[in-house]
Amino acid sequence: MSSTTLVRRTLWSEIWALLAVARKEWTIFRRYPSWVVAFIIWPVIFPMGYIFTAKALGGPDGSALAGFAN
């Protein structure tokens, strides 16, 4: 029994899907301008939690920070 699919993946179909996703994201950015700010701020805020936790667990003089670096 041979396995067949209904959809043939081609370069053009991949590009078409990429353009559809880009159009969807652009529509969301235009519709909700505040989402652009969140899209820029969240990648900065999340790593800060890890950085501050490492500094807090490193002690007041930072002697344990070498252990976190390893």
Side-chain angles (χ1 to χ4, degrees):
M1 182 179 251
S2 68
S3 173
T4 60
T5 61
L6 297 175
V7 178
R8 214 172 90 202
R9 290 180 69 177
T10 62
L11 180 61
W12 178 246
S13 66
E14 295 291 329
I15 291 172
W16 189 258
L18 179 70
L19 290 175
V21 170
R23 182 173 180 237
K24 176 193 70 96
E25 291 297 324
W26 179 250
T27 302
I28 291 171
F29 282 154
R30 283 186 305 152
R31 193 169 292 165
Y32 306 105
S34 63
W35 184 248
V36 176
V37 175
F39 189 71
I40 294 170
I41 291 176
W42 281 115
V44 174
I45 290 176
F46 280 137
M48 291 302 234
Y50 294 110
I51 292 169
F52 289 140
T53 301
K55 286 189 180 223
L57 293 174
D61 59 350
S63 60
L65 287 177
F68 285 112
N70 291 333

